[in-house]
Amino acid sequence: MAVKRGRGVAAVNYPTGMNLGGDPTQALVHSTPTGSFMVTLSSVDLGQGLKQIMAQICAETIGVPTESVTVDTADTDTGPHCMGTFASRGTHRAGNAVIQAAREARQVMLEVAAEELEVNASDLDTDGSGNIHVKGAPSRSISIFDTALAAHFKHGRSISGRGMFLVPRSYPETETGAMKPSTCYAHACTVAEVEVDEETGEVVVLSVKNVFEIGRALNPKMVEQQLIGGSWMGISHALYETTEPYYPDREHGARDYNEYLMPGPGDLAETEIAVLERPSGDGPFGAKGPGEMCANPQIPAVANAIFDAVGVRVDTLPITPERVLRALRQRDAGATA
Amino acid sequence: MKLSKNYFADERTDDFTEIGQPRPRSDIRGHVTGRTAYFADRTFPGLLHLKMVRSPHHHARIRGIDTSEAEKHPGVARIITAKDVPQNLYTILILIHVGPEDEHVLAEDKVRWKGEAVVAVLAETARAAEEAAAKVKVDYEVLPAVLSIEDALKPDAPIVNEHHGRNYYLYDSGECRKVRFGDVEKGFAQADHILEESYSSGPIEHAPLETSGCIVTPEANGRFTCYTNTQAMFFTLDNASIILQMPGHKLHMVGGTVGGGFGGKVDVTIEPVAILAAKLTGRPVSFIYSREEEMQVSSPRAAERIVIKDGVMKDGRIVARQVTAYIDAGAYSRHSPYGAQKSAAHFPGPYTISNVAIDSYCVYTNRTPSSAMRGFGVTIGDFALEVQTDKLARLIGMDPLEFRFINAYRDGDMKAHRQPTEGAALIECMQEASVIAGWPVSERFMKMSSRTREG
């Protein structure tokens, strides 16, 4: 009996947005009298940082600093319809809606600035830090603060825009299953290294090295947080979690965190992340949805690493010490038979 | 984290000022200092607490409900049963025309899983509500239960849900969502090896820090404000509007600060009955799942059974793949017919295989209804696909990573569901993994590209 090491690999892809589309999201954008911008949505921030990403998308599109954008969301009295935050759709669907709304608002803003500067709107650009200037002549400029004031009090114009994004729904052909499930796919490859104790069946994940291709990392730090969290969830799914450990037996169901097994801080593997960007054709700045995918490849990678270590397959999740031990005993019984 | 900018550099411009910047999220200080307000942090004078009487049986007929003792319990304000719910029969996805309606807000004639909501008790304190709930007497006639996918599909199995009339969801394609591409039997006939293996999983809990719940206040203007941690504001509003037969303008959902949501908060099992309670009592109502309810009552990730049969050549090409997937929906549809359909779209995985046959079943059992959870329809499928892929590589004595390069899909390849592959990047992910994990592969694979079939 000994502790054996092994490593395993898995590679996956994942569709962005609701399967078969048909899942709309809308956004509204408007400026305040002094040139701050408000994004109004009904999308939900689950803690993954949707509000921050929408602010950055709006800021980039209008050409203002992110801190001048406020996101008001998840209130059905003010926010236009969003299908919801699930299916790796938040960034992709809401992001596209915000871009469309922000473009419309930017156009009005430039038109007002053009009147103030007595030039054509098409000759204007933003500097990203709160000013609008004539292209090639940075000294001929007006601040967005003054532009918004002029729009409100002088020109009677609303610097605002409406945005809507909808992937048309696809209906599967009944006999062949011909369909369009998604417009873009994220990708991942994980290599996991494990140690398996042949005496106890216990598996320790030593490291996971994850590569994710996500279209565009709109905010790399927040991407990193989500990918690390997802990676830990994948390990947790692989080795620990179930509400009914002896499914289909309904006994032994966990009722709290004392009974529901999950890895604690000491059980977490060394985690390495690399991110590739192949911009999607229809994503906001090329972004895809990695939210769900990032918890998937670790599960088979860990299972394959266990086989590499001790030569047994556990094809039922979660891969508990009990299941590993039973498989090892079967292996040894087979060897001596 | 390493941003590997050398891949696909010619497909990007990186000239942004806000995009790509690692800015701190706007709400992080509130989260880490405990100042962020969640829905349950609100207090209202006269707040009532809702506790649910739940079925102790997997499957039973309700012969009678006696609430007389519970009503006398000190602090009880109101007891709600099925007859109080205007449109008690519902299903979430009816909004996008995925029926039939198959679930009751509060059980009427039968319970179909252990934990099903039967009677709602409202009281001045959570403790009084819980004590009164224990005094509700429900007379059950226990019925035979179906607890596994295998039992559900037996010809003589008891029917779990009469609204379906059979223990699987009926798609327009029949008993399962089907994908057919090429000729899978011909593929098996030409294969050097055939490998058929089965995979399975148990239900999995979302495990959010914040359990599902809401607080509803009746407003002076006749509207109801619902402070909720739903993941989908209008899903909740629109379904509540149908269930309560109340025009949408009477409802105001406020949310957006959620203590973890992995799909479990896309169901609408909480808000409609809480709004009804606020309407019937004229008082604010709080309905928040206990941790036990979150773990055993709220929808888990479905248990699944997946059978994969592959034909593979000695040179590493997978020439045929047949997948039969069974998703355990539990007693009601919720999002499971959608999940099973998504699995059919996902198989055979990110590989180009010329002969594919897929059957994905959504199966009903007398279990806690499963529903949406991070990657459902795909996550367990990927476990099965990628373990199977590893087995195939070892079967023909090939390095598992190199085996994946041989089969990886590339731009222009036709997928089994008849969409040409676009924007593929599996090969590049594997190349980078080879580098960072120190898992060398042949030079041939390091030169491959997702953008061309050459090499």
Side-chain angles (χ1 to χ4, degrees):
Chain A
M1 293 298 174
V3 173
K4 299 270 180 66
R5 273 194 185 207
R7 70 175 178 181
V9 65
V12 303
N13 68 344
Y14 200 91
T16 297
M18 264 182 85
N19 185 48
L20 303 172
D23 55 330
T25 290
Q26 298 183 34
L28 299 172
V29 169
H30 75 268
S31 92
T32 65
T34 51
S36 296
F37 284 85
M38 181 68 76
V39 178
T40 316
L41 303 163
S42 69
S43 311
V44 174
D45 194 327
L46 300 176
Q48 85 281 38
L50 179 130
K51 282 181 282 198
Q52 176 64 27
I53 288 301
M54 292 309 130
Q56 285 183 235
I57 287 174
C58 178
E60 181 72 47
T61 308
I62 297 181
V64 294
T66 296
E67 56 262 29
S68 69
V69 178
T70 301
V71 177
D72 170 28
T73 191
D75 184 322
T76 57
D77 272 10
T78 54
H81 177 245
C82 169
M83 194 90 186
T85 307
F86 48 79
S88 303
R89 66 184 298 286
T91 294
H92 191 268
R93 304 307 203 239
N96 273 322
V98 167
I99 287 177
Q100 190 181 51
R103 274 190 190 139
E104 193 177 319
R106 174 184 164 94
Q107 182 57 31
V108 178
M109 178 182 82
L110 294 181
E111 283 167 17
V112 171
E115 285 205 40
E116 290 292 298
L117 293 170
E118 298 180 333
V119 295
N120 288 323
S122 57
D123 293 332
L124 294 176
D125 202 356
T126 44
D127 69 355
S129 53
N131 301 293
I132 300 165
H133 61 268
V134 177
K135 285 175 196 165
S139 59
R140 289 196 65 196
S141 73
I142 180 172
S143 69
I144 288 172
F145 184 99
D146 287 335
T147 306
L149 282 175
H152 279 83
F153 298 106
K154 185 168 153 195
H155 301 279
R157 296 204 62 185
S158 167
I159 299 180
S160 59
R162 300 158 299 166
M164 169 81 178
F165 188 73
L166 172 68
V167 173
R169 185 153 167 197
S170 163
Y171 292 88
E173 210 276 313
T174 54
E175 292 312 306
T176 62
M179 58 182 142
K180 190 170 174 91
S182 180
T183 59
C184 61
Y185 290 78
H187 301 87
C189 180
T190 290
V191 175
E193 196 184 2
V194 303
E195 238 172 39
V196 184
D197 187 327
E198 291 196 307
E199 202 167 338
T200 63
E202 209 169 345
V203 178
V204 175
V205 183
L206 300 172
S207 72
V208 282
K209 296 186 164 66
N210 300 297
V211 182
F212 298 106
E213 186 279 313
I214 64 167
R216 169 93 63 185
L218 300 181
N219 179 325
K221 276 289 172 199
M222 286 173 51
V223 162
E224 182 178 19
Q225 291 169 7
Q226 193 166 35
L227 299 182
I228 289 177
S231 183
W232 290 350
M233 191 165 173
I235 293 169
S236 187
H237 272 28
L239 299 179
Y240 296 84
E241 289 191 63
T242 181
T243 51
E244 293 171 31
Y246 296 96
Y247 176 89
D249 186 347
R250 286 225 50 191
E251 299 305 311
H252 314 288
R255 291 161 297 180
D256 60 30
Y257 283 118
N258 293 314
E259 297 175 349
Y260 189 75
L261 294 184
M262 299 175 92
D267 304 314
L268 290 168
E270 177 195 323
T271 305
E272 202 173 313
I273 309 257
V275 165
L276 275 55
E277 299 175 305
R278 184 176 192 192
S280 68
D282 72 342
F285 304 101
K288 301 172 179 177
E292 296 173 283
M293 175 189 74
C294 62
N296 290 347
Q298 300 78 20
I299 306 173
V302 166
N304 293 336
I306 292 168
F307 177 80
D308 189 54
V310 290
V312 301
R313 292 283 181 191
V314 179
D315 292 336
T316 299
L317 292 176
I319 305 172
T320 57
E322 180 181 337
R323 288 191 171 123
V324 173
L325 212 49
R326 285 183 194 282
L328 286 168
R329 288 196 178 155
Q330 213 176 343
R331 177 199 70 181
D332 295 342
T336 53
Chain B
M1 186 181 90
K2 171 189 174 194
L3 260 178
S4 303
K5 288 275 186 188
N6 49 324
Y7 296 92
F8 306 111
D10 58 338
E11 295 188 27
R12 292 191 310 267
T13 55
D14 291 326
D15 54 348
F16 300 115
T17 53
E18 303 301 318
I19 293 301
Q21 298 303 317
R23 305 211 186 284
R25 58 213 287 173
S26 51
D27 50 12
I28 194 63
R29 282 196 174 80
H31 288 355
V32 300
T33 59
R35 292 183 64 185
T36 298
Y38 293 84
F39 85 89
D41 292 328
R42 291 181 176 84
T43 52
F44 297 93
L47 183 71
L48 291 172
H49 299 264
L50 191 156
K51 291 286 173 186
M52 203 58 90
V53 177
R54 299 188 176 279
S55 166
H57 303 295
H58 302 302
H59 195 193
R61 192 172 311 286
I62 297 174
R63 285 193 291 228
I65 297 174
D66 177 4
T67 59
S68 54
E69 284 300 308
E71 276 162 32
K72 285 182 228 154
H73 190 81
V76 169
R78 172 88 198 206
I79 290 179
I80 298 174
T81 60
K83 64 180 190 317
D84 297 311
V85 187
Q87 172 70 49
N88 197 30
L89 185 65
Y90 81 107
T91 193
I92 310 167
L93 287 175
I94 204 74
L95 295 172
I96 54 168
H97 308 112
V98 181
E101 286 131 330
D102 70 344
E103 181 166 7
H104 290 125
V105 176
L106 294 173
E108 282 184 18
D109 49 338
K110 277 176 79 176
V111 287
R112 298 180 179 83
W113 58 283
K114 188 177 171 179
E116 181 157 1
V118 184
V119 175
V121 177
L122 289 137
E124 303 292 338
T125 63
R127 180 174 172 174
E130 215 155 305
E131 288 166 349
K135 291 183 176 176
V136 171
K137 293 188 190 105
V138 184
D139 181 17
Y140 292 107
E141 176 194 342
V142 176
L143 300 170
V146 174
L147 294 177
S148 71
I149 290 164
E150 290 75 11
D151 285 348
L153 294 177
K154 283 177 183 160
D156 56 347
I159 295 295
V160 170
N161 189 320
E162 293 76 6
H163 300 289
H164 296 282
R166 53 186 79 75
N167 288 342
Y168 52 84
Y169 185 80
L170 195 64
Y171 291 96
D172 58 1
S173 52
E175 60 188 21
C176 58
R177 175 57 71 199
K178 287 184 266 192
V179 175
R180 297 287 182 273
F181 186 64
D183 182 339
V184 80
E185 290 306 328
K186 218 168 108 185
F188 290 137
Q190 74 177 83
D192 291 324
H193 300 276
I194 289 181
L195 183 70
E196 181 171 345
E197 297 278 283
S198 295
Y199 303 88
S200 60
S201 65
I204 295 176
E205 159 63 5
H206 298 84
L209 284 177
E210 179 200 38
T211 63
S212 303
C214 71
I215 294 178
V216 183
T217 60
E219 305 294 347
N221 59 9
R223 299 181 78 208
F224 296 89
T225 307
C226 178
Y227 302 95
T228 167
N229 59 12
T230 179
Q231 291 178 234
M233 308 301 294
F234 277 96
F235 240 33
T236 303
L237 188 150
D238 295 338
N239 273 296
S241 171
I242 293 169
I243 288 165
L244 303 172
Q245 294 290 292
M246 190 185 272
H249 63 257
K250 293 277 187 195
L251 299 171
H252 178 198
M253 302 287 164
V254 180
T257 304
V258 180
F262 304 95
K265 292 166 180 167
V266 186
D267 289 346
V268 290
T269 56
I270 290 160
E271 295 86 352
V273 73
I275 296 165
L276 177 65
K279 186 186 173 196
L280 294 175
T281 60
R283 290 172 62 175
V285 170
S286 160
F287 181 20
I288 305 174
Y289 274 4
S290 66
R291 184 57 65 187
E292 182 173 352
E293 285 178 304
E294 190 67 37
M295 289 197 170
Q296 291 293 324
V297 169
S298 82
S299 308
R301 180 190 296 288
E304 298 188 23
R305 294 265 182 279
I306 298 167
V307 182
I308 306 179
K309 182 179 175 184
D310 284 334
V312 65
M313 307 304 288
K314 284 179 196 153
D315 65 8
R317 285 176 298 131
I318 306 170
V319 291
R321 173 163 279 179
Q322 184 169 32
V323 184
T324 313
Y326 303 93
I327 313 289
D328 185 346
Y332 298 106
S333 287
R334 297 195 182 167
H335 294 284
S336 291
Y338 165 91
Q341 176 154 282
K342 186 168 180 170
S343 80
H346 184 66
F347 295 124
Y351 302 111
T352 295
I353 302 171
S354 41
N355 303 294
V356 175
I358 294 155
D359 290 333
S360 287
Y361 292 81
C362 170
V363 181
Y364 297 103
T365 60
N366 292 110
R367 306 182 61 88
T368 307
S370 64
S371 195
M373 184 172 175
R374 192 178 206 166
F376 74 125
V378 174
T379 300
I380 305 302
D382 277 348
F383 161 68
L385 286 172
E386 283 302 285
V387 172
Q388 177 84 359
T389 303
D390 207 69
K391 289 178 185 175
L392 291 174
R394 291 174 188 269
L395 179 68
I396 59 164
M398 191 174 276
D399 176 273
L401 187 52
E402 294 196 340
F403 181 80
R404 286 170 169 84
F405 278 98
I406 291 172
N407 291 288
Y409 73 173
R410 308 195 212 179
D411 288 359
D413 290 354
M414 189 56 76
K415 297 185 191 179
H417 56 252
R418 290 175 165 77
Q419 287 295 319
T421 303
E422 293 171 36
L426 194 75
I427 284 169
E428 289 74 10
C429 282
M430 295 193 295
Q431 288 167 342
E432 182 68 7
S434 161
V435 173
I436 69 168
W439 184 322
V441 294
S442 137
E443 192 56 31
R444 174 189 158 205
F445 301 121
M446 294 307 279
K447 282 183 179 157
M448 266 186 182
S449 165
S450 289
R451 298 193 280 196
T452 165
R453 257 285 148 205
E454 288 162 28

PDB file of all heavy atoms in Angstrom, chain B residues 106-117:
ATOM      1  N   LEU B 106     -48.925  24.831  -4.272  1.00  0.00           N
ATOM      2  CA  LEU B 106     -49.179  24.046  -3.061  1.00  0.00           C
ATOM      3  C   LEU B 106     -49.913  22.782  -3.502  1.00  0.00           C
ATOM      4  O   LEU B 106     -50.838  22.840  -4.317  1.00  0.00           O
ATOM      5  CB  LEU B 106     -50.028  24.843  -2.059  1.00  0.00           C
ATOM      6  CG  LEU B 106     -49.353  26.087  -1.464  1.00  0.00           C
ATOM      7  CD1 LEU B 106     -50.342  26.897  -0.630  1.00  0.00           C
ATOM      8  CD2 LEU B 106     -48.128  25.721  -0.634  1.00  0.00           C
ATOM      9  N   ALA B 107     -49.505  21.632  -2.957  1.00  0.00           N
ATOM     10  CA  ALA B 107     -50.036  20.338  -3.421  1.00  0.00           C
ATOM     11  C   ALA B 107     -51.550  20.305  -3.301  1.00  0.00           C
ATOM     12  O   ALA B 107     -52.124  20.800  -2.326  1.00  0.00           O
ATOM     13  CB  ALA B 107     -49.405  19.212  -2.622  1.00  0.00           C
ATOM     14  N   GLU B 108     -52.204  19.720  -4.295  1.00  0.00           N
ATOM     15  CA  GLU B 108     -53.668  19.608  -4.280  1.00  0.00           C
ATOM     16  C   GLU B 108     -54.095  18.200  -3.884  1.00  0.00           C
ATOM     17  O   GLU B 108     -54.397  17.932  -2.733  1.00  0.00           O
ATOM     18  CB  GLU B 108     -54.226  19.952  -5.663  1.00  0.00           C
ATOM     19  CG  GLU B 108     -54.253  21.451  -5.909  1.00  0.00           C
ATOM     20  CD  GLU B 108     -54.901  21.817  -7.244  1.00  0.00           C
ATOM     21  OE1 GLU B 108     -55.622  20.986  -7.836  1.00  0.00           O
ATOM     22  OE2 GLU B 108     -54.668  22.942  -7.684  1.00  0.00           O
ATOM     23  N   ASP B 109     -54.066  17.314  -4.844  1.00  0.00           N
ATOM     24  CA  ASP B 109     -54.562  15.959  -4.607  1.00  0.00           C
ATOM     25  C   ASP B 109     -53.458  14.987  -4.244  1.00  0.00           C
ATOM     26  O   ASP B 109     -53.699  13.969  -3.609  1.00  0.00           O
ATOM     27  CB  ASP B 109     -55.285  15.484  -5.874  1.00  0.00           C
ATOM     28  CG  ASP B 109     -54.438  15.714  -7.138  1.00  0.00           C
ATOM     29  OD1 ASP B 109     -53.527  16.584  -7.099  1.00  0.00           O
ATOM     30  OD2 ASP B 109     -54.656  15.025  -8.142  1.00  0.00           O
ATOM     31  N   LYS B 110     -52.244  15.300  -4.654  1.00  0.00           N
ATOM     32  CA  LYS B 110     -51.138  14.366  -4.460  1.00  0.00           C
ATOM     33  C   LYS B 110     -49.866  15.115  -4.093  1.00  0.00           C
ATOM     34  O   LYS B 110     -49.719  16.285  -4.416  1.00  0.00           O
ATOM     35  CB  LYS B 110     -50.853  13.613  -5.769  1.00  0.00           C
ATOM     36  CG  LYS B 110     -51.743  12.417  -6.032  1.00  0.00           C
ATOM     37  CD  LYS B 110     -51.428  11.815  -7.393  1.00  0.00           C
ATOM     38  CE  LYS B 110     -50.179  10.953  -7.342  1.00  0.00           C
ATOM     39  NZ  LYS B 110     -49.935  10.290  -8.647  1.00  0.00           N
ATOM     40  N   VAL B 111     -48.942  14.370  -3.474  1.00  0.00           N
ATOM     41  CA  VAL B 111     -47.563  14.852  -3.391  1.00  0.00           C
ATOM     42  C   VAL B 111     -46.712  13.875  -4.178  1.00  0.00           C
ATOM     43  O   VAL B 111     -46.977  12.675  -4.185  1.00  0.00           O
ATOM     44  CB  VAL B 111     -47.054  14.949  -1.934  1.00  0.00           C
ATOM     45  CG1 VAL B 111     -47.701  16.130  -1.216  1.00  0.00           C
ATOM     46  CG2 VAL B 111     -47.293  13.654  -1.179  1.00  0.00           C
ATOM     47  N   ARG B 112     -45.698  14.409  -4.838  1.00  0.00           N
ATOM     48  CA  ARG B 112     -44.904  13.568  -5.736  1.00  0.00           C
ATOM     49  C   ARG B 112     -43.430  13.507  -5.363  1.00  0.00           C
ATOM     50  O   ARG B 112     -42.638  12.895  -6.058  1.00  0.00           O
ATOM     51  CB  ARG B 112     -45.072  14.058  -7.176  1.00  0.00           C
ATOM     52  CG  ARG B 112     -46.503  13.958  -7.678  1.00  0.00           C
ATOM     53  CD  ARG B 112     -46.653  14.437  -9.109  1.00  0.00           C
ATOM     54  NE  ARG B 112     -48.038  14.296  -9.569  1.00  0.00           N
ATOM     55  CZ  ARG B 112     -49.008  15.180  -9.318  1.00  0.00           C
ATOM     56  NH1 ARG B 112     -48.741  16.282  -8.620  1.00  0.00           N
ATOM     57  NH2 ARG B 112     -50.224  14.973  -9.749  1.00  0.00           N
ATOM     58  N   TRP B 113     -43.067  14.162  -4.293  1.00  0.00           N
ATOM     59  CA  TRP B 113     -41.687  14.023  -3.796  1.00  0.00           C
ATOM     60  C   TRP B 113     -41.645  14.419  -2.316  1.00  0.00           C
ATOM     61  O   TRP B 113     -42.489  15.193  -1.840  1.00  0.00           O
ATOM     62  CB  TRP B 113     -40.687  14.831  -4.601  1.00  0.00           C
ATOM     63  CG  TRP B 113     -40.946  16.313  -4.688  1.00  0.00           C
ATOM     64  CD1 TRP B 113     -41.871  16.949  -5.461  1.00  0.00           C
ATOM     65  CD2 TRP B 113     -40.243  17.358  -3.987  1.00  0.00           C
ATOM     66  NE1 TRP B 113     -41.793  18.317  -5.288  1.00  0.00           N
ATOM     67  CE2 TRP B 113     -40.801  18.592  -4.395  1.00  0.00           C
ATOM     68  CE3 TRP B 113     -39.189  17.369  -3.066  1.00  0.00           C
ATOM     69  CZ2 TRP B 113     -40.349  19.820  -3.899  1.00  0.00           C
ATOM     70  CZ3 TRP B 113     -38.740  18.585  -2.583  1.00  0.00           C
ATOM     71  CH2 TRP B 113     -39.321  19.794  -3.001  1.00  0.00           C
ATOM     72  N   LYS B 114     -40.678  13.851  -1.618  1.00  0.00           N
ATOM     73  CA  LYS B 114     -40.506  14.113  -0.194  1.00  0.00           C
ATOM     74  C   LYS B 114     -39.928  15.517  -0.030  1.00  0.00           C
ATOM     75  O   LYS B 114     -38.779  15.750  -0.412  1.00  0.00           O
ATOM     76  CB  LYS B 114     -39.545  13.066   0.387  1.00  0.00           C
ATOM     77  CG  LYS B 114     -39.395  13.081   1.867  1.00  0.00           C
ATOM     78  CD  LYS B 114     -38.471  11.945   2.271  1.00  0.00           C
ATOM     79  CE  LYS B 114     -38.118  12.047   3.735  1.00  0.00           C
ATOM     80  NZ  LYS B 114     -37.234  10.927   4.108  1.00  0.00           N
ATOM     81  N   GLY B 115     -40.769  16.423   0.492  1.00  0.00           N
ATOM     82  CA  GLY B 115     -40.337  17.817   0.605  1.00  0.00           C
ATOM     83  C   GLY B 115     -41.271  18.751  -0.150  1.00  0.00           C
ATOM     84  O   GLY B 115     -41.148  19.982  -0.044  1.00  0.00           O
ATOM     85  N   GLU B 116     -42.217  18.204  -0.894  1.00  0.00           N
ATOM     86  CA  GLU B 116     -43.138  19.038  -1.673  1.00  0.00           C
ATOM     87  C   GLU B 116     -43.958  19.936  -0.744  1.00  0.00           C
ATOM     88  O   GLU B 116     -44.431  19.521   0.320  1.00  0.00           O
ATOM     89  CB  GLU B 116     -44.065  18.144  -2.506  1.00  0.00           C
ATOM     90  CG  GLU B 116     -45.041  18.928  -3.357  1.00  0.00           C
ATOM     91  CD  GLU B 116     -45.565  18.166  -4.562  1.00  0.00           C
ATOM     92  OE1 GLU B 116     -45.186  16.997  -4.751  1.00  0.00           O
ATOM     93  OE2 GLU B 116     -46.341  18.757  -5.311  1.00  0.00           O
ATOM     94  N   ALA B 117     -44.181  21.180  -1.167  1.00  0.00           N
ATOM     95  CA  ALA B 117     -44.931  22.154  -0.365  1.00  0.00           C
ATOM     96  C   ALA B 117     -46.418  21.800  -0.364  1.00  0.00           C
ATOM     97  O   ALA B 117     -47.005  21.576  -1.423  1.00  0.00           O
ATOM     98  CB  ALA B 117     -44.722  23.551  -0.937  1.00  0.00           C
TER      99      ALA B 117
END
